[in-house]
């Protein structure tokens, strides 16, 4: 049941990073009214912020969530992860400019922080679950098996994300790019789907304390 829960949580969040990456870094010829991030900002700066957030996430988890039961910890993380793409949605719809917040600031204070935060907050309790379900003396074998399945479902999630982008007929390169379907895709596959599939999947996991 634990393995099935992990697979459902991974698959329920298709990876759409390529489409979002093209949107954020598209030039004026491709997307006239876009963020037009340069690669230094989009990759380097957000990477530095993400590394800091990873460190802070571990401290926050240890201080506040380590005493929670598995199920509430996972549900909380899934909800946060489902709400984080709202930052992308706001930028894609250009609502942040309407309230006077630049794309760089809104992206940095939102997506760059929450995306890394969710990864850590989900990885820690899942690692603890794997440790608890492993028979004595077989911890390394079980962990390798679980990591292999996790990598496979992560790869499958990426393929699903690529298929979604392909089927949406978005034009992400060249001139006169078309990102009109991107808001709908974000709402359906990054906000609604993880909550509709991921949260029920947590009920396959025993609701016991992490300690």
């Amino acid at each position: 049941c634990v393995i099935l829960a992990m697979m459902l949580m991974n698959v329920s969040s298709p990876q759409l990073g390529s489409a979002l990456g093209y949107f954020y870094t598209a030039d004026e010829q491709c997307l006239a009214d876009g963020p037009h991030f340069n690669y230094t900002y989009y990759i380097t700066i957000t990477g530095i912020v993400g590394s800091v957030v990873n460190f802070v996430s571990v401290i926050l988890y240890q201080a506040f969530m380590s005493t929670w039961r598995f199920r509430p910890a996972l549900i909380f993380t899934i909800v946060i992860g489902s709400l984080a793409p709202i930052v992308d949605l706001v930028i894609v719809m250009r609502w942040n400019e309407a309230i006077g917040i630049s794309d760089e600031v809104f992206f940095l204070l939102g997506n760059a922080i929450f995306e890394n935060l969710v990864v850590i907050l989900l990885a820690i309790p899942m690692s603890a679950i794997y440790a608890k379900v492993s028979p004595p003396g077989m911890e390394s074998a079980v962990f390798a098996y679980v990591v292999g399945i996790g990598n496979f479902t992560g790869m499958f999630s990426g393929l699903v994300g690529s298929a979604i982008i392909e089927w949406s007929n978005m034009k992400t390169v060249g001139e006169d790019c078309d990102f009109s379907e991107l808001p709908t895709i974000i709402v359906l596959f990054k906000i609604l789907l993880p909550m509709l599939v991921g949260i029920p999947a947590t009920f396959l996991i025993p609701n016991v304390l992490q300690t």
Side-chain angles (χ1 to χ4, degrees):
C1 289
V2 172
I3 302 299
L4 179 59
M6 177 197 68
M7 294 174 65
L8 290 173
M9 285 187 284
N10 284 346
V11 174
S12 66
S13 184
Q15 298 175 18
L16 304 175
S18 59
L20 290 169
Y22 282 121
F23 174 82
Y24 284 124
T25 59
D27 57 24
E28 293 186 0
Q29 290 184 332
C30 175
L31 186 64
D33 183 28
H36 305 145
F37 290 168
N38 59 57
Y39 286 100
T40 300
Y41 175 84
Y42 186 67
I43 297 176
T44 307
I45 301 300
T46 55
I48 293 172
V49 172
S51 298
V52 174
V53 170
N54 288 345
F55 177 73
V56 174
S57 300
V58 174
I59 296 175
L60 291 175
Y61 190 93
Q62 182 63 31
F64 299 105
M65 295 178 63
S66 59
T67 57
W68 293 15
R69 295 180 182 272
F70 281 115
R71 199 174 295 161
L74 292 172
I75 291 175
F76 175 79
T77 304
I78 291 171
V79 171
I80 295 297
S82 298
L83 295 179
I86 292 177
V87 174
D88 294 315
L89 180 63
V90 169
I91 296 178
V92 170
M93 298 299 295
R94 318 306 292 142
W95 292 337
N96 59 300
E97 290 192 336
I99 58 178
I101 303 178
S102 68
D103 295 320
E104 289 80 5
V105 172
F106 200 80
F107 175 81
L108 192 61
L109 296 179
N111 187 289
I113 292 177
F114 284 103
E115 184 174 4
N116 290 277
L117 177 69
V118 168
V119 169
I120 296 298
L121 294 185
L122 189 61
I124 295 176
M126 290 305 296
S127 297
I129 292 173
Y130 303 152
K132 284 185 175 293
V133 300
S134 300
M138 298 184 62
E139 291 84 355
S140 59
V142 172
F143 188 77
Y145 173 73
V146 170
V147 169
I149 294 178
N151 290 337
F152 172 77
T153 53
M155 179 184 67
F156 183 76
S157 176
L159 293 175
V160 172
S162 299
I164 291 171
I165 295 169
E166 181 71 22
W167 292 334
S168 69
N169 294 319
M170 278 193 295
K171 184 181 178 182
T172 58
V173 293
E175 297 182 358
D176 298 323
C177 297
D178 182 11
F179 291 93
S180 59
E181 295 298 323
L182 189 54
T184 301
I185 290 175
I186 292 174
V187 172
L188 291 178
F189 297 104
K190 298 300 290 183
I191 298 176
L192 295 180
L193 185 62
M195 288 196 286
L196 293 176
V197 177
I199 292 178
T202 63
F203 288 88
L204 295 172
I205 296 173
N207 193 29
V208 297
L209 292 172
Q210 300 178 57
T211 54

